[in-house]
Amino acid sequence: MVKPLKPIYLYSLNPHRRSKFRRFTYLGRLQFSSKPDFLEQSESLQTEENKRLLFIVSKVSDILSNPRLQWQTSAELQSLSSKLRPRHVAKLVEIHENTEVALQFFYWVSKRHFYKHDINCYVSMLNRLVFDKKFAPADHVRILMIKACRNEEEMKWVIEYLGELSRKGLGYSLYSFNTLLIQLGKFEMVDAAKSAYQEIMSSGTEPSLLTFNTMINILCKKGRIEEAKLIMSHIYQRGLSPDVFTYTSLILGHCRNGDLDAAFVIFDRMLQDGIDPNAATYTTLINGLCTEGRVDEAMNMLDEMTEKGIEPTVYTYTVPISSLCAVGREKEAVDLVVSMRKRGCEPNVQTYTALISGLSQSGLLEVAIGLYHNMLRKGLLPTMVTFNILITELCGAKKVDRAFNIFRWIEAHGYKPNTITCNALIHGLCLVGNIERAMVLLSEMLKVGPAPTVITYNTLINGYLKQGFLDNAMRLLDLMKNNGCKADEWTYAELISGFCKRGKLDSASALFQEMIKHGLSPNQVNYTALIDGLSKEEKVDDALALLKRMEESGCSPGIETYNAIINGLSKQKRLLEAEKLCNKMAESGLLPNVITYSTLIDGLCRNGGTHLAFKIFHDMERRNCIPNLYTYSSLIYGLCLEGQADNAESLLREMEKKGLAPDHVTYTSLIDGFVALGRLDHALLLLRQMADKGCQPNYRTFGVLLKGLQKEHQLIPGKVSIQHETVCSSTASKKDVSFELLCTLLDRLSEIGCEPSADTYCTLILGLSREGKTYEADQLIAHMREKGFSPTSAVYCSLLVSYCNNLKVDAALEIFDSLIQQGFRPPLSIYQSLICALCRRSRLKEVEVLFENMLGKQWNNDEIVWTILIDGLLKERESELCMKLLHVMESKSCNISFQTYVILAREFSKLDG
């Protein structure tokens, strides 16, 4: 947002006239003196800041007024000049006794490398010159003022102010009119430019070809060709002839409208009129061709211009380079950069940015980063567009730390990250599961900008939903609304889908109704999300009813919508209805795809209909619908469920021959099939094959093998304990037996050539911790260390939570302290687990210490309240402690949003109820 201009003073030649500049104080005719009279200043000026301002102004004014000094070479003035700011210059220009000296000083100070006039300086100088009727220098200062405008808001203000001066006698010269038009074109202020043009035409000032060309160019940039043609008729009426700039602007206008045929007609007419096109003409046509996807024609045009001896500029090359990358022709783009360098045309920031963008989006991210560093080495400062491209691509590739390195470089070098930058970083953090750091970034956006958008909130809501934090997603929706950001269809699509995936259909349905209540029309994504949730919860009739409602509302179902219901019908063995829905889908022009068929197959295989599933499988092959991994995995699962593990393995080999790589789901189903048949050795061989192909077993895979070992242990009493007496002691405890089985599994893995790795141990420990088997997890960690492996922080965090759930608080605190000493930053969920466990053990002093230590780190304060106070303490019914910790937060100036207080109050009222 543009900051409002500071109050300035307008001298009025008629003190009784009510100026439209009412916000400016009328000063009347000031008596100028070399020394400002401090005593006569009003009380409002008697601040320390104004005293310092007036002291510097007084010193400089003394130097300027000393007739014995050549003030331009004064050592004292040179020393003071480094302290001068625009407010000093504006004040000095107002009060100095000699207008000519004030003007010379105005010009002199503007040439200092550390200084730049602001609008107030120009106003002070112009007021003075117009008051003294020095219109020639005033016209020059006016031109400088117009050129100094930095944005549309300033430009509008300056136009209004200059209009007032014009009525005081400062008429526009042709030079100042043309400068105004050019600057209005820079900010694309078309209506203001048209008004200025009309004023020129009616003022008696004879316009030049530059006047007409500037106006034509402003209109053509917006594609307003007919209006530009009208201006062109004025050229002929004045006896002037269009030049290359005129024609190039018209060509640009047609290109902006996507009418390349008309652009080439103008080009031909230009040649017929004997006007030679220049680099800008060719660049405009080349860019137009690239925009329309006609890259080869653009490249031919580039060759044509060089053959005619017209040297392409860096701008000529930039768009073709970007376009070549966009169509996957990166090598040609790089070759074009080499070619331009050979012609002595060095790439600029825009060229590098175009190439970086193209290479990044083509999967050549590392090459793009190399180019970025090359830019820096050459002294070319990237723009925010360059930074945003790199940060977006790095975050999309989950290389968030590298993205933050660039982000920190941006901030350190004075750039202001925009919403695109912050949204990309938040997206990256959510992708890697670091929602807490993303929420910290949201805090910074709310404090210092840029303001979060609906995309920011949607990304964070999706991040919470993926981690299963449904309450926090809803709280963020409330926060979003309270911050004046309106939720859109995609907000609700994410929420409805997230709640459906967690089986919270009532909440999902309520959200669906809420979006309608807020005037949002559900789209295909919204309907499909709820239909999918209903189908998965076996509420297929409700899903069918919603499908009917969807069609009646004029929203056409997509193939994903049909697939969701077909999945539900097939799981309930309602095959005739599923087939009927497939036919209806085909009638609407949507042919069943691999997901449709695979959905049917999966439903049948899970319900004992594998023989029917194979009929569909062969039918999809006849229809040239190629089965995917999910199709084969479903069939393998179905065969194993029916005890046909050998046939399932044959199907595995078939899918491999077709180039489909089995994943851990496929292998685990097959391993489970052989374990169920008591063929553990063959199951272990399959695990070996799985590992050889780079497919990492998960905890479920190991769980299936442990089940097989358990059966083997029961069939052969004593075998396990005898075989492993050197590894672990045998006792009658069930815990010991379980750990012995783990030891047996690790040994059997070694025997088949799958030597247990750190990943193997971590997978097992994480699974055991989630199941609350802390004893076995502890034992396995000790065993892991003996083998020279170190557990990851994720393993320790999982074990810590498991300890807290079992109220083994000291063991949990020991792990926590160890993690902190290693520099690891535990997430808020860890603090929540510890605080709740300490509360249940009535160790409240330790809770306060832990909470205060936590506040010393960087968090989103709203999230602290949501996670620790609401989801932690209030769910434990520790309302007094909750309130006490809230006061601790407030005493440490931890700002909490009003909406979070509302949520907290609501949760307190539930306890009271």
Side-chain angles (χ1 to χ4, degrees):
M1 187 178 76
V2 177
K3 291 181 180 178
L5 297 172
K6 292 178 181 178
I8 54 177
Y9 300 102
L10 177 71
Y11 295 104
S12 175
L13 300 180
N14 179 358
H16 303 293
R17 188 170 181 269
R18 289 181 65 81
S19 168
K20 58 183 169 182
F21 292 88
R22 292 186 179 91
R23 64 181 180 273
F24 304 129
T25 305
Y26 168 64
L27 294 181
R29 187 181 179 93
L30 294 183
Q31 296 297 317
F32 301 117
S33 66
S34 60
K35 291 186 180 181
D37 186 351
F38 289 91
L39 297 175
E40 290 181 1
Q41 301 296 324
S42 66
E43 285 184 6
S44 63
L45 293 178
Q46 294 302 311
T47 64
E48 285 301 316
E49 183 183 350
N50 276 290
K51 284 180 180 178
R52 285 194 296 271
L53 181 150
L54 292 169
F55 176 76
I56 292 172
V57 169
S58 174
K59 292 289 289 182
V60 173
S61 190
D62 278 346
I63 295 166
L64 297 179
S65 301
N66 190 337
R68 292 173 304 208
L69 279 176
Q70 281 284 3
W71 60 263
Q72 292 92 339
T73 57
S74 164
E76 188 180 5
L77 182 60
Q78 293 285 347
S79 174
L80 282 169
S81 65
S82 64
K83 297 176 184 177
L84 287 174
R85 300 292 178 267
R87 64 182 184 274
H88 301 126
V89 174
K91 177 59 68 178
L92 192 138
V93 165
E94 284 176 15
I95 67 169
H96 192 68
E97 60 185 354
N98 188 307
T99 302
E100 187 60 37
V101 172
L103 180 63
Q104 288 174 19
F105 174 74
F106 180 84
Y107 288 140
W108 176 84
V109 76
S110 71
K111 295 181 175 66
R112 312 300 290 173
H113 73 277
F114 53 83
Y115 176 85
K116 190 173 183 180
H117 288 316
D118 66 9
I119 294 298
N120 289 341
C121 295
Y122 290 107
V123 168
S124 293
M125 195 69 253
L126 280 170
N127 286 344
R128 178 101 187 229
L129 291 167
V130 171
F131 187 83
D132 288 353
K133 299 190 183 303
K134 294 180 180 290
F135 294 126
D139 186 51
H140 183 241
V141 172
R142 171 171 54 191
I143 288 165
L144 295 176
M145 183 187 202
I146 292 167
K147 288 180 178 179
C149 288
R150 297 165 298 176
N151 51 55
E152 185 177 341
E153 189 67 24
E154 275 190 1
M155 196 71 234
K156 284 178 181 176
W157 192 92
V158 165
I159 289 169
E160 192 178 1
Y161 166 71
L162 292 178
E164 186 79 3
L165 285 189
S166 181
R167 287 186 283 276
K168 308 299 182 195
L170 182 62
Y172 275 93
S173 65
L174 177 61
Y175 185 14
S176 53
F177 263 135
N178 285 345
T179 303
L180 179 61
L181 270 183
I182 290 167
Q183 196 72 349
L184 290 169
K186 177 182 172 183
F187 298 122
E188 298 185 357
M189 298 169 67
V190 181
D191 292 335
K194 286 174 70 176
S195 297
Y197 177 77
Q198 290 298 329
E199 191 176 341
I200 296 170
M201 299 299 284
S202 61
S203 68
T205 303
E206 187 62 28
S208 65
L209 184 59
L210 175 61
T211 314
F212 296 121
N213 279 348
T214 303
M215 195 63 226
I216 288 169
N217 186 255
I218 289 168
L219 292 165
C220 285
K221 278 181 179 177
K222 292 293 184 180
R224 293 161 73 163
I225 288 291
E226 294 307 314
E227 293 174 74
K229 285 179 180 176
L230 180 63
I231 306 296
M232 194 168 177
S233 69
H234 296 166
I235 294 177
Y236 293 116
Q237 288 168 13
R238 288 293 199 281
L240 301 170
S241 298
D243 63 3
V244 64
F245 188 89
T246 322
Y247 283 110
T248 300
S249 293
L250 290 169
I251 288 168
L252 173 66
H254 285 301
C255 288
R256 288 281 163 94
N257 291 332
D259 191 352
L260 284 175
D261 291 339
F264 275 101
V265 167
I266 298 291
F267 182 71
D268 292 338
R269 179 178 157 191
M270 176 183 181
L271 296 174
Q272 289 166 11
D273 289 351
I275 296 171
D276 294 327
N278 60 15
T281 317
Y282 274 102
T283 299
T284 304
L285 283 166
I286 288 166
N287 289 354
L289 288 165
C290 287
T291 302
E292 294 296 310
R294 294 158 64 175
V295 184
D296 289 320
E297 291 175 70
M299 297 303 291
N300 291 336
M301 197 128 205
L302 183 58
D303 291 337
E304 180 186 313
M305 74 181 288
T306 54
E307 286 167 9
K308 287 186 176 180
I310 301 170
E311 281 300 317
T313 66
V314 67
Y315 304 104
T316 316
Y317 286 106
T318 299
V319 174
I321 286 166
S322 180
S323 298
L324 286 167
C325 288
V327 294
R329 292 159 66 175
E330 298 84 11
K331 186 180 182 304
E332 290 174 69
V334 173
D335 289 343
L336 193 55
V337 173
V338 173
S339 171
M340 71 183 283
R341 277 182 170 152
K342 283 180 180 175
R343 299 188 72 88
C345 182
E346 280 298 315
N348 65 5
V349 173
Q350 285 72 32
T351 319
Y352 272 106
T353 301
L355 197 52
I356 285 168
S357 175
L359 292 169
S360 298
Q361 291 167 19
S362 302
L364 299 170
L365 183 55
E366 292 303 324
V367 179
I369 291 168
L371 270 176
Y372 161 71
H373 289 299
N374 193 33
M375 272 182 79
L376 296 178
R377 282 194 295 272
K378 286 179 177 289
L380 288 170
L381 288 178
T383 64
M384 278 310 302
V385 176
T386 324
F387 292 127
N388 285 341
I389 288 165
L390 281 171
I391 287 171
T392 300
E393 294 301 324
L394 283 165
C395 287
K398 298 186 179 181
K399 298 179 179 180
V400 182
D401 288 337
R402 292 176 72 180
F404 266 98
N405 287 340
I406 294 175
F407 181 71
R408 282 188 284 270
W409 192 95
I410 291 170
E411 292 190 312
H413 287 78
Y415 289 83
K416 284 193 174 179
N418 56 29
T419 309
I420 296 170
T421 325
C422 295
N423 285 351
L425 289 166
I426 285 172
H427 174 67
L429 289 166
C430 289
L431 271 181
V432 298
N434 196 342
I435 185 76
E436 287 164 352
R437 193 174 175 192
M439 286 294 289
V440 169
L441 191 50
L442 174 69
S443 297
E444 291 172 9
M445 290 176 77
L446 290 168
K447 284 178 190 171
V448 297
T453 64
V454 66
I455 294 171
T456 318
Y457 288 108
N458 286 353
T459 306
L460 287 163
I461 285 169
N462 187 41
Y464 274 132
L465 293 169
K466 281 184 176 176
Q467 292 191 12
F469 299 145
L470 305 185
D471 288 339
N472 276 4
M474 288 301 294
R475 290 160 185 157
L476 195 57
L477 177 66
D478 290 340
L479 190 66
M480 171 185 186
K481 292 173 184 174
N482 195 57
N483 287 337
C485 189
K486 190 177 178 182
D488 63 9
E489 291 86 352
W490 297 104
T491 318
Y492 285 101
E494 295 287 1
L495 285 163
I496 291 164
S497 178
F499 276 86
C500 284
K501 284 174 183 174
R502 301 283 169 174
K504 305 279 187 180
L505 283 178
D506 290 342
S507 298
S509 298
L511 283 161
F512 189 83
Q513 295 305 321
E514 183 183 309
M515 73 176 289
I516 296 170
K517 183 183 173 184
H518 287 309
L520 294 171
S521 299
N523 59 23
Q524 190 184 96
V525 177
N526 302 127
Y527 275 110
T528 302
L530 190 52
I531 285 169
D532 185 50
L534 290 165
S535 299
K536 283 176 178 169
E537 290 295 311
E538 299 187 5
K539 295 186 177 183
V540 185
D541 291 324
D542 290 341
L544 285 164
L546 190 58
L547 175 68
K548 185 180 178 183
R549 178 178 165 185
M550 177 182 184
E551 291 170 323
E552 288 171 351
S553 72
C555 184
S556 300
I559 196 161
E560 295 84 4
T561 323
Y562 285 109
N563 285 346
I565 300 180
I566 289 166
N567 181 36
L569 289 168
S570 63
K571 283 179 180 176
Q572 292 184 356
K573 298 185 183 179
R574 295 162 65 175
L575 298 180
L576 287 175
E577 290 175 81
E579 187 180 354
K580 187 179 176 182
L581 200 59
C582 279
N583 293 333
K584 181 183 177 182
M585 182 171 70
E587 286 168 11
S588 66
L590 296 170
L591 293 176
N593 61 9
V594 65
I595 297 172
T596 317
Y597 286 115
S598 298
T599 297
L600 282 166
I601 287 167
D602 185 62
L604 288 165
C605 288
R606 290 180 183 278
N607 291 280
T610 306
H611 62 292
L612 292 172
F614 269 99
K615 286 185 179 180
I616 294 171
F617 176 71
H618 296 310
D619 184 51
M620 72 184 289
E621 287 184 317
R622 280 194 298 273
R623 292 173 183 266
N624 292 320
C625 185
I626 309 300
N628 63 11
L629 173 63
Y630 183 64
T631 321
Y632 279 103
S633 293
S634 297
L635 288 166
I636 287 167
Y637 175 82
L639 287 168
C640 289
L641 204 63
E642 295 178 6
Q644 300 182 57
D646 288 310
N647 290 338
E649 188 172 9
S650 298
L651 196 59
L652 179 79
R653 302 299 166 228
E654 181 186 317
M655 70 177 284
E656 287 178 320
K657 284 177 185 175
K658 290 184 177 179
L660 291 171
D663 64 3
H664 67 273
V665 175
T666 322
Y667 274 115
T668 302
S669 295
L670 195 54
I671 289 167
D672 197 13
F674 280 102
V675 166
L677 296 174
R679 295 166 64 181
L680 181 60
D681 288 339
H682 194 80
L684 285 163
L685 286 175
L686 282 168
L687 184 78
R688 168 64 189 270
Q689 290 174 26
M690 181 181 183
D692 288 345
K693 291 181 179 176
C695 185
Q696 184 70 31
N698 62 9
Y699 185 64
R700 186 175 179 278
T701 318
F702 290 129
V704 167
L705 290 169
L706 284 166
K707 181 176 68 176
L709 288 168
Q710 181 72 43
K711 283 172 69 177
E712 187 179 81
H713 173 81
Q714 290 166 354
L715 290 169
I716 311 171
K719 178 178 176 181
V720 175
S721 58
I722 294 167
Q723 187 176 348
H724 298 287
E725 61 186 359
T726 57
V727 179
C728 40
S729 61
S730 176
T731 70
S733 166
K734 287 184 179 179
K735 288 182 177 178
D736 287 337
V737 171
S738 179
F739 181 60
E740 286 176 3
L741 282 174
L742 289 166
C743 291
T744 302
L745 175 63
L746 295 170
D747 281 353
R748 293 291 281 274
L749 291 177
S750 297
E751 288 169 11
I752 62 168
C754 287
E755 196 63 38
S757 64
D759 285 341
T760 311
Y761 281 101
C762 288
T763 302
L764 285 166
I765 296 163
L766 283 166
L768 291 165
S769 297
R770 282 193 296 269
E771 291 179 351
K773 296 179 178 178
T774 53
Y775 174 82
E776 293 86 344
D778 261 338
Q779 294 287 92
L780 208 51
I781 283 178
H783 197 274
M784 180 182 187
R785 286 182 178 142
E786 286 173 14
K787 296 290 183 182
F789 299 122
S790 296
T792 63
S793 55
V795 166
Y796 281 122
C797 284
S798 182
L799 185 57
L800 186 153
V801 171
S802 192
Y803 276 138
C804 287
N805 292 338
N806 291 330
L807 296 184
K808 297 179 179 178
V809 182
D810 290 323
L813 285 170
E814 189 179 333
I815 292 175
F816 180 81
D817 291 339
S818 175
L819 287 170
I820 295 292
Q821 285 169 14
Q822 292 169 34
F824 176 73
R825 178 181 162 176
L828 281 173
S829 57
I830 293 294
Y831 283 99
Q832 184 208 74
S833 294
L834 274 170
I835 285 170
C836 290
L838 286 164
C839 280
R840 287 198 289 271
R841 287 293 190 191
S842 301
R843 294 162 65 169
L844 302 185
K845 276 290 178 188
E846 289 172 83
V847 168
E848 290 181 42
V849 172
L850 183 63
F851 188 75
E852 291 205 30
N853 286 339
M854 183 194 74
L855 292 180
K857 299 172 176 62
Q858 197 177 27
W859 303 102
N860 177 291
N861 294 318
D862 290 308
E863 196 177 23
I864 290 175
V865 176
W866 302 346
T867 307
I868 307 298
L869 303 188
I870 297 175
D871 290 340
L873 295 175
L874 287 187
K875 284 187 179 176
E876 293 291 325
R877 308 192 72 80
E878 293 282 352
S879 54
E880 286 187 21
L881 182 59
C882 175
M883 188 58 75
K884 188 173 186 179
L885 295 186
L886 179 65
H887 290 324
V888 169
M889 288 185 73
E890 290 170 335
S891 70
K892 291 184 177 294
S893 301
C894 297
N895 294 321
I896 302 160
S897 72
F898 172 75
Q899 191 58 38
T900 293
Y901 278 112
V902 172
I903 295 167
L904 193 58
R906 190 166 61 226
E907 295 301 322
F908 267 112
S909 68
K910 288 179 185 177
L911 287 181
D912 294 338

